[in-house]
Amino acid sequence: MKKLIESAGLDDIQQKVLAGERLSLADGLRLYQSSDILAVGWLANLVRERLNGNKAYFIYNQHINYSNICTNLCKFCAFGRKQDDDFAYEMSIEEVKEKVRQRLDEPIVEIHMVGGIHPNLPFSYYTEVLRGIKEVRPEVHIQAFTCVEIAHLASLCEKSVGTTLEILREAGLDSMPGGGAEVFSSRIRERTCADKLPGEDWIEVAKTAHRHGFRTNATMLYGHIETYEERLEHLDALRQAQDETGGFLAFIPLAFHPKNTDLSALSSTTGMDDLRNIAVARLMLDNFAHVKAYWVMIGPKLAQIALSFGADDLDGTVKEEVITHMAGAETDQAIGSETLIRMITESGRVPVERTTLYDVLEVHDSSQRVES
Ligand code: V47
């Protein structure tokens, strides 16, 4: 291994990793620029195993997208629609409840719910939808509304973000997903999502949520027009916010899917960039406990390999993904928990079925199972 790291010219970075020292943005740039994926991945795996041992997590979850109507219409998004578009939809509270009811026979522990920035759904819709889900499935954890949606809801109800979050908590909100972060750089936002909440405001909403006792996730949508430097600035902003609040649960890199978007002339990400991005994120985000390899976006096979390149979580069963599939994802829209367990076991890790907050529900370790 010494030779591998030496020949990649990364010995000084290895020293820092071994000493648990924070990597600089210049270190991050060298890691991104290295074509020695084994060396970068090996370093990331050191951190991954230090934090999570041999465990690889997954969750039994369900995604619900209550509406695709959106005023932001970001250039990278194939999901959002104008209100008068033929493919625009918004679910009634009853339709959302029906989605939850349809899967009552499955051991779903988390509902992940996000939607577009709708121009005229009233604030009461959002509280009622939370209450409706809890009526049908009282024990489920609702991870809903990105920081972008929360900022919109705060302006809808004309209250501070903190007060809005308290009202939503009372209605059933348990935590927030990491979407809508994209790339924080104003250059990227101007060119791809000019109408969206600015990067600094996304971080402020996340930090406010943390201060009100919510745990939230963080994402980065990579592989379009951003530079490595802009990725690193994004990671650094998350790292600083995490230093302040400690409220982020996991980081999820989101691989850009170009089909049906205004950026459809761009190519999809490659396996090397997907793996390297996970590894660099693992190394830079030293204060994040978990990095997900989201199988929907990078495919189950690469996600499995990513468990040896920094990732410790495959996210979940998802049941049923829409946002990436509108943009041409070729993966399935859901995956069985037994498939996730097999993927993890065959990668040499121990499958741990978790709650949203990473409490352990079951360790699916076949070596420890007593055959009857
Ligand atoms: O907010 C939009 C991104 C996000 C595209 O928190 C795209 O645990 C790729 O945030 N290609 C939704 N990405 C997904 C998301 C997520 C997924 C899984 C787990 C968690 C979590 C969060 O997807 C959007 C946006 O940032 N996105 N369009 C696209 N064409």
Side-chain angles (χ1 to χ4, degrees), residues 210-224:
H210 301 163
R211 290 192 189 104
H212 282 257
F214 285 96
R215 304 303 300 273
T216 76
N217 288 333
T219 58
M220 175 172 74
L221 172 57
Y222 68 95
H224 42 96

Side-chain angles (χ1 to χ4, degrees), residues 100-242:
V100 179
R101 229 176 262 125
Q102 280 164 4
R103 294 194 182 276
L104 274 177
D105 58 342
E106 294 183 56
I108 284 162
V109 294
E110 172 190 276
I111 302 233
H112 172 120
M113 182 175 66
V114 294
I117 300 303
H118 196 292
N120 42 30
L121 276 177
F123 183 67
S124 57
Y125 174 89
Y126 300 90
T127 50
E128 279 169 32
V129 81
L130 293 169
R131 286 206 174 87
I133 293 172
K134 287 275 163 97
E135 254 169 55
V136 179
R137 200 155 197 159
E139 302 305 325
V140 88
H141 179 112
I142 306 183
Q143 179 165 78
F145 309 136
T146 64
C147 292
V148 182
E149 285 164 284
I150 296 291
H152 169 64
L153 298 189
S155 69
L156 253 190
C157 74
E158 299 178 327
K159 302 233 164 20
S160 69
V161 167
T163 307
T164 307
L165 283 165
E166 291 300 338
I167 298 171
L168 294 171
R169 187 204 313 274
E170 218 267 312
L173 184 69
D174 294 302
S175 68
M176 285 155 55
E182 324 311 358
V183 179
F184 294 140
S185 139
S186 49
R187 185 188 80 90
I188 298 297
R189 274 180 135 71
E190 271 158 31
R191 285 170 174 70
T192 63
C193 53
D195 296 329
K196 194 165 219 156
L197 188 72
E200 314 82 72
D201 296 8
W202 188 100
I203 293 174
E204 268 319 306
V205 173
K207 289 198 298 193
T208 305
H210 301 163
R211 290 192 189 104
H212 282 257
F214 285 96
R215 304 303 300 273
T216 76
N217 288 333
T219 58
M220 175 172 74
L221 172 57
Y222 68 95
H224 42 96
I225 58 164
E226 84 290 358
T227 62
Y228 287 150
E229 285 83 353
E230 285 160 340
R231 287 188 200 180
L232 287 160
E233 282 161 22
H234 184 97
L235 295 175
D236 189 45
L238 290 175
R239 188 165 74 172
Q240 284 182 35
Q242 182 75 328

Side-chain angles (χ1 to χ4, degrees), residues 76-77 112 143 177-180 182 217 219 221 252 254-257 261 292 294 297 315 323 327:
F76 49 73
C77 182
H112 172 120
Q143 179 165 78
E182 324 311 358
N217 288 333
T219 58
L221 172 57
I252 309 105
L254 303 173
F256 175 55
H257 283 58
T261 73
K292 293 188 194 178
Y294 187 39
M297 296 218 180
D315 193 67
I323 298 176

